[in-house]
Amino acid sequence: MSKTNPGNFFEDFFVGQLIRHATPRTVTTGDVALYTALYGTRFAVQSSDALAWGLGYDQAPVDDLLVFHIVFGKTVPEISLNAVANLGYAGGRFLAPVYPGDTLSAVSEVIGKKENSNGKTGVVYVRSTGYKADGTEVLDYVRWVMVNKRDPQSPAPEALVPELPAVIDPMALGNAVPMLETEYWDNDLAGSPYRFADYAKGEKIDHVDGMTVEDAEHMMATRLYQNTAKVHFNQYTEGKGRFGTRLIYGGHVISLARSLSFNGLGSAFHIAGINGGRHVAPLFAGDTVFAWSEVLDTAEIEGRPDIGALRLRLVATKNRPCADFPLKDDVGNYAENVILDFDYWAILPK
Amino acid sequence: MSKTNPGNFFEDFFVGQLIRHATPRTVTTGDVALYTALYGTRFAVQSSDALAWGLGYDQAPVDDLLVFHIVFGKTVPEISLNAVANLGYAGGRFLAPVYPGDTLSAVSEVIGKKENSNGKTGVVYVRSTGYKADGTEVLDYVRWVMVNKRDPQSPAPEALVPELPAVIDPMALGNAVPMLETEYWDNDLAGSPYRFADYAKGEKIDHVDGMTVEDAEHMMATRLYQNTAKVHFNQYTEGKGRFGTRLIYGGHVISLARSLSFNGLGSAFHIAGINGGRHVAPLFAGDTVFAWSEVLDTAEIEGRPDIGALRLRLVATKNRPCADFPLKDDVGNYAENVILDFDYWAILPK
Amino acid sequence: MSKTNPGNFFEDFFVGQLIRHATPRTVTTGDVALYTALYGTRFAVQSSDALAWGLGYDQAPVDDLLVFHIVFGKTVPEISLNAVANLGYAGGRFLAPVYPGDTLSAVSEVIGKKENSNGKTGVVYVRSTGYKADGTEVLDYVRWVMVNKRDPQSPAPEALVPELPAVIDPMALGNAVPMLETEYWDNDLAGSPYRFADYAKGEKIDHVDGMTVEDAEHMMATRLYQNTAKVHFNQYTEGKGRFGTRLIYGGHVISLARSLSFNGLGSAFHIAGINGGRHVAPLFAGDTVFAWSEVLDTAEIEGRPDIGALRLRLVATKNRPCADFPLKDDVGNYAENVILDFDYWAILPK
């Protein structure tokens, strides 16, 4: 019997199952530097210990998406090694600031399961939680993946599709942000004259700039997250596959788009919640990513006079500038070259 | 009105204008590791805490050019986002050692402005200063850039071209170097048997080795510096442009040439001043960089029996080995494949 | 006379010669992050401070191969700058844990020398030792390289070929591992249900996954190790050479194969000794690396009830999956596409 991990198939999951994932990971300033080198992120709170400390943090917190990718990466060997597709995200909450030196681990709970009508695959819903060595929860989110059945003849289990929130209640946001001394917020250093009150529902922002992705970059990123999904790394196999080339980790696209969004959303310094997300089309090396945002909603957070929340749709495209805010066509299909439709809550200072 | 940064045009600058740049940046050992991975630098003082501490530093200081690139990167959104060309540097001084943990910010002052005769562009001169969170100045330098006018019809301002030093006075050098315990300087560990007294004015050194550059490398470097100049990142746009490919950040070339110069200048551990610099021709991914140096001058520094200064011309080429020290042709034009002509003061132990 | 390093030729080495290598190097969490990004290593002890501390380490130790590459890199300018081939390794021992903040230096002793029959080259044997700033030895190993003679006419020296151990005595293993509190070893977090007793002599494990290598990646890795061997970096010269392309540092292959081996050997957390190693064929950018392992032996370590040692053969291939465990053909030549045959002792918890 082989000692290698074959990954789990649809039949291996059961609702209520708890999975403790491997390889706890101490996050360091080395990871932060690599994250900066990979995406060019410029949000001031995550970039400067001095500025973060002045506002009320212990030091510069680790970028929210770096935390997300690390926690996500841990779940791959058990959840999505045999996944056909990563279908969606919901109910993501960032619960505590993560600092260099913190060690992150992940557990997942299977919360739903439904066989597809073709009998060959099924959808598995899991809630994954990232926590520090002292037990502090830093992130939880739900994702659902399409997984191959080991045996197409195996009987379909009773379908259980969890009810998922369409949007995180604003009351639940902001736990990862200490009460800010906003009198020390400095628009010049933050790179934006606009704060919470300057954004209005319905506003659209073209982030203008484009970023081309190389194979070396997305592979280094994905390995940094200890994400082992095979399709990102193996040209020998992928070259013979559907696309003829390695597929870029969807989270890499989210981070690129988020980084591009600094141009127009410079004070939206924190991702507090992930309402939903869909990887609409694949990205490959050589493609250039563009992004635009729409303010879907604005919200006050009770007990937080220092900050407010914007619900943002972040759309990424490949090889298509976003001056015309591409999203869907007349019949509701995603427009050509749209690759990401991501719905999240950002925190801004008042 | 768009919330994205359109950058400044020629009309937006006025002499005396002070610009506080965004995104203060805590430099870490992560940045240092990336700098090493990108350039392979081997200068011992910056590589070893133990060695640096023995000589009189608190710990290994951050490479001077990493400091330069980070400060430079901060100035891009306001100074050179619409720049047509980065024309030159002068008067650069490294004023204090920077250690991992220090947070760097940048301010710029506009010190000159002159419209070009075509009426479409002008030259803007700025002095940029990098400083730590406690206010310590670590670097200042002047650069001048050619910037587009927003409106070719707008009247030309009164021309003011600042007087710039052709060379930094040696008396002003060495502030970033503590008084060294040179009895602990170890030629073997430093990788060179040659010290200050071993170099003579007029000496030329071919640094022999060549280094090929990949797109992933220069983009990671440029993002590490949070430099957002568009031409480095966007193949979609640049593919349709003048060169058909992304342009490599000029500072990347300086760092490559400086790193190659270790072979022959291993004890020239510190860049104390930048007298001038010119990016003679562009570099693209796939090109191989070579370098050679000429000792333009040697100087004692008053009050510093421990160190001396070499004024060095550092020349980089692409796809052309430097055994014949290529620089200019008979009529004074730069020789083919010369890409950098950089004039700086290096500090060496006595 | 040029101040650049011409490297040593066969005539420059003499048995008993001690060489102190340049550029001591403080290892940091930045280096660790890059190592993770380059190879995707997932061994838990090296990844988590909290887990390592719970087991008995001060914090997460630096990956053994990162230590090896840094020490190896220091030896290149004096030992192998003019090497025609890196012929083999033997007698490698990891002697103390290395933590971020430790400064590594290297010395080499020439222990053997033998001219080749062609009169143009010779083989030089060196034992290199890596040590910390306080003198603690962390690693020693023997390697032998084929080096060009400066002058084919120079007389052959008396041949001295050192006697090298075929395998490190298990008694000598484990010095870099503190006595472990194995009751805190957690199979889930370690990513493997198998411990020392679960492996048997003769067992073969296909590590399944493949990893494609890009030029940017292997050059960043090799520069991170401050390894200056010319063939890895200079496409201008290598493009005209035997292979037409840059050659990937052999150590990069070892690290890739070791990282792939996590899938099947997740609890083999430490390389305690290198019995031998041979780079059978070169690797180039674009190639995909696969790996398999064979348990050559199992060994108890006297005085260590906590851990045991597996002697492992780690074989890497390029562009060839390893389900059939490729090694040698019928007449004893290495099979096509085998690139590495590496023999080491790994430590596992009991």
Side-chain angles (χ1 to χ4, degrees), chain A:
Chain A
M1 194 190 119
S2 170
K3 287 190 169 71
T4 55
N5 172 27
N8 287 314
F9 290 87
F10 184 68
E11 294 91 331
D12 299 320
F13 295 99
F14 59 91
V15 174
Q17 184 179 11
L18 276 174
I19 300 169
R20 297 173 69 237
H21 301 293
T23 313
R25 173 86 151 76
T26 302
V27 185
T28 70
T29 54
D31 301 311
V32 171
L34 266 161
Y35 194 84
T36 303
L38 289 163
Y39 306 109
T41 182
R42 289 184 288 148
F43 295 96
V45 167
Q46 285 79 14
S47 180
S48 166
D49 282 342
L51 182 143
W53 185 84
L55 289 170
Y57 286 90
D58 293 348
Q59 65 185 104
V62 170
D63 194 281
D64 307 300
L65 290 174
L66 176 52
V67 173
F68 177 81
H69 297 321
I70 289 176
V71 171
F72 184 99
K74 304 211 163 319
T75 70
V76 168
E78 285 82 22
I79 305 300
S80 49
L81 206 65
N82 298 314
V84 181
N86 202 13
L87 298 173
Y89 308 102
R93 299 177 305 160
F94 290 84
L95 300 164
V98 174
Y99 296 113
D102 286 340
T103 298
L104 299 181
S105 298
V107 294
S108 293
E109 181 184 358
V110 179
I111 60 169
K113 200 177 160 176
K114 182 175 183 299
E115 185 165 306
N116 285 328
S117 54
N118 64 13
K120 295 179 186 162
T121 57
V123 179
V124 177
Y125 297 78
V126 295
R127 174 178 290 114
S128 296
T129 303
Y131 57 94
K132 300 191 192 188
D134 68 1
T136 305
E137 293 189 10
V138 299
L139 166 68
D140 67 1
Y141 65 92
V142 173
R143 71 163 164 144
W144 51 107
V145 293
M146 193 190 303
V147 184
N148 281 319
K149 288 178 71 177
R150 180 177 283 111
D151 174 7
Q153 305 307 322
S154 64
E158 191 181 359
L160 176 64
V161 176
E163 212 161 315
L164 296 171
V167 57
I168 301 280
D169 187 321
M171 284 286 294
L173 303 176
N175 292 330
V177 183
M179 189 65 70
L180 295 189
E181 308 278 343
T182 49
E183 65 270 30
Y184 295 120
W185 188 274
D186 182 316
N187 288 353
D188 285 351
L189 296 185
S192 171
Y194 309 107
R195 300 197 186 187
F196 174 65
D198 298 310
Y199 291 87
K201 188 171 168 173
E203 184 172 355
K204 292 181 179 179
I205 302 167
D206 171 20
H207 301 305
V208 178
D209 302 311
M211 184 76 75
T212 306
V213 183
E214 303 295 319
D215 272 321
E217 294 168 354
H218 75 81
M219 292 200 299
M220 287 185 72
T222 310
R223 285 186 299 243
L224 184 70
Y225 314 140
Q226 298 174 314
N227 179 329
T228 57
K230 298 163 193 274
V231 292
H232 308 315
F233 300 112
N234 185 335
Q235 184 59 35
Y236 178 84
T237 301
E238 298 306 316
K240 300 167 181 163
R242 178 175 161 206
F243 300 114
T245 188
R246 285 157 277 179
L247 197 63
I248 294 176
Y249 163 50
H252 197 67
V253 176
I254 302 176
S255 280
L256 283 166
R258 163 77 175 157
S259 180
L260 292 170
S261 79
F262 181 89
N263 194 358
L265 285 166
S267 60
F269 68 96
H270 170 58
I271 296 182
I274 296 173
N275 299 312
R278 194 165 155 198
H279 297 295
V280 175
L283 181 74
F284 307 112
D287 287 338
T288 301
V289 174
F290 295 85
W292 65 274
S293 294
E294 177 180 1
V295 181
L296 297 178
D297 206 352
T298 70
E300 301 281 340
I301 302 171
E302 200 178 298
R304 295 302 297 259
D306 54 332
I307 54 174
L310 296 185
R311 184 178 169 195
L312 295 163
R313 159 177 271 158
L314 175 61
V315 178
T317 62
K318 58 180 176 188
N319 308 322
R320 174 170 180 173
C322 292
D324 63 345
F325 309 113
L327 183 61
K328 295 190 178 175
D329 63 19
D330 293 344
V331 295
N333 293 321
Y334 279 101
E336 200 178 5
N337 291 6
V338 170
I339 58 175
L340 175 72
D341 186 6
F342 191 69
D343 178 341
Y344 72 106
W345 283 111
I347 299 293
L348 292 86
K350 287 192 178 172

Side-chain angles (χ1 to χ4, degrees), chain B residues 169-186:
Chain B
D169 187 322
M171 284 286 293
L173 303 176
N175 291 331
V177 183
M179 190 66 70
L180 296 189
E181 307 279 342
T182 49
E183 64 270 30
Y184 295 120
W185 187 275
D186 182 317

Side-chain angles (χ1 to χ4, degrees), chain B residues 209-293:
Chain B
D209 302 309
M211 184 76 74
T212 306
V213 183
E214 302 296 319
D215 272 320
E217 294 168 354
H218 75 81
M219 293 201 297
M220 287 184 72
T222 310
R223 286 187 298 242
L224 185 70
Y225 314 140
Q226 297 174 314
N227 179 329
T228 57
K230 298 165 193 275
V231 292
H232 309 314
F233 300 111
N234 185 335
Q235 184 58 35
Y236 178 84
T237 301
E238 297 307 315
K240 302 166 179 165
R242 179 175 161 207
F243 299 115
T245 187
R246 284 157 279 178
L247 197 63
I248 293 176
Y249 163 51
H252 197 68
V253 176
I254 302 175
S255 280
L256 282 166
R258 164 74 175 157
S259 180
L260 291 170
S261 80
F262 181 89
N263 194 358
L265 286 166
S267 61
F269 68 96
H270 171 58
I271 296 182
I274 297 173
N275 299 312
R278 195 166 154 197
H279 297 295
V280 175
L283 181 75
F284 307 111
D287 289 338
T288 301
V289 174
F290 295 85
W292 66 274
S293 295

Side-chain angles (χ1 to χ4, degrees), chain C residues 20-105:
Chain C
R20 297 173 68 237
H21 300 293
T23 314
R25 171 87 151 76
T26 302
V27 185
T28 70
T29 54
D31 301 312
V32 171
L34 265 161
Y35 193 84
T36 303
L38 289 162
Y39 306 109
T41 182
R42 290 184 288 148
F43 294 97
V45 167
Q46 286 78 16
S47 180
S48 167
D49 281 342
L51 183 142
W53 186 84
L55 289 170
Y57 286 91
D58 293 348
Q59 64 185 104
V62 170
D63 194 281
D64 307 301
L65 290 174
L66 175 53
V67 173
F68 177 82
H69 298 321
I70 288 176
V71 170
F72 184 100
K74 307 214 160 318
T75 70
V76 168
E78 286 81 23
I79 305 301
S80 48
L81 207 65
N82 299 313
V84 181
N86 202 15
L87 298 172
Y89 308 101
R93 299 176 305 160
F94 291 84
L95 299 164
V98 175
Y99 296 113
D102 286 340
T103 298
L104 299 180
S105 298

Side-chain angles (χ1 to χ4, degrees), chain C residues 18-328:
Chain C
L18 276 174
I19 301 170
R20 297 173 68 237
H21 300 293
T23 314
R25 171 87 151 76
T26 302
V27 185
T28 70
T29 54
D31 301 312
V32 171
L34 265 161
Y35 193 84
T36 303
L38 289 162
Y39 306 109
T41 182
R42 290 184 288 148
F43 294 97
V45 167
Q46 286 78 16
S47 180
S48 167
D49 281 342
L51 183 142
W53 186 84
L55 289 170
Y57 286 91
D58 293 348
Q59 64 185 104
V62 170
D63 194 281
D64 307 301
L65 290 174
L66 175 53
V67 173
F68 177 82
H69 298 321
I70 288 176
V71 170
F72 184 100
K74 307 214 160 318
T75 70
V76 168
E78 286 81 23
I79 305 301
S80 48
L81 207 65
N82 299 313
V84 181
N86 202 15
L87 298 172
Y89 308 101
R93 299 176 305 160
F94 291 84
L95 299 164
V98 175
Y99 296 113
D102 286 340
T103 298
L104 299 180
S105 298
V107 295
S108 293
E109 180 183 359
V110 180
I111 60 170
K113 201 178 160 177
K114 181 175 184 299
E115 185 165 306
N116 286 327
S117 55
N118 63 14
K120 295 179 185 163
T121 57
V123 178
V124 177
Y125 297 78
V126 295
R127 174 178 290 114
S128 297
T129 304
Y131 56 94
K132 300 190 191 188
D134 67 2
T136 306
E137 294 189 10
V138 300
L139 166 69
D140 67 0
Y141 66 92
V142 174
R143 70 164 166 144
W144 51 106
V145 293
M146 194 191 303
V147 183
N148 281 318
K149 289 179 68 177
R150 179 177 283 112
D151 174 7
Q153 306 305 323
S154 64
E158 190 181 358
L160 176 62
V161 175
E163 212 160 315
L164 297 171
V167 57
I168 301 281
D169 188 321
M171 283 286 294
L173 303 176
N175 291 331
V177 182
M179 190 66 69
L180 296 188
E181 308 279 343
T182 48
E183 65 270 30
Y184 296 120
W185 188 275
D186 182 318
N187 288 353
D188 285 349
L189 296 185
S192 170
Y194 309 107
R195 300 198 185 188
F196 173 65
D198 298 310
Y199 292 87
K201 188 171 169 173
E203 183 173 355
K204 294 180 178 180
I205 303 166
D206 171 19
H207 301 305
V208 179
D209 302 310
M211 184 75 76
T212 306
V213 183
E214 302 296 319
D215 272 320
E217 294 168 354
H218 76 80
M219 293 201 298
M220 288 185 72
T222 310
R223 286 188 299 243
L224 184 71
Y225 314 139
Q226 298 174 314
N227 179 329
T228 58
K230 298 164 193 275
V231 293
H232 309 314
F233 300 112
N234 185 335
Q235 184 57 35
Y236 178 84
T237 301
E238 298 306 315
K240 301 166 179 164
R242 179 176 161 207
F243 299 114
T245 188
R246 285 158 277 178
L247 196 61
I248 294 176
Y249 163 51
H252 197 68
V253 176
I254 302 175
S255 281
L256 282 166
R258 163 76 174 155
S259 180
L260 291 170
S261 79
F262 181 89
N263 194 358
L265 285 166
S267 60
F269 68 96
H270 170 60
I271 296 182
I274 296 174
N275 298 314
R278 195 166 155 197
H279 297 294
V280 175
L283 181 73
F284 307 113
D287 287 339
T288 301
V289 174
F290 295 85
W292 65 274
S293 293
E294 178 180 1
V295 181
L296 297 177
D297 206 353
T298 70
E300 302 280 339
I301 302 171
E302 199 178 301
R304 295 303 297 258
D306 53 333
I307 53 175
L310 297 185
R311 184 179 170 195
L312 295 163
R313 159 176 271 159
L314 175 62
V315 178
T317 61
K318 58 180 176 188
N319 309 322
R320 175 172 180 171
C322 292
D324 62 345
F325 310 112
L327 183 62
K328 295 189 178 175

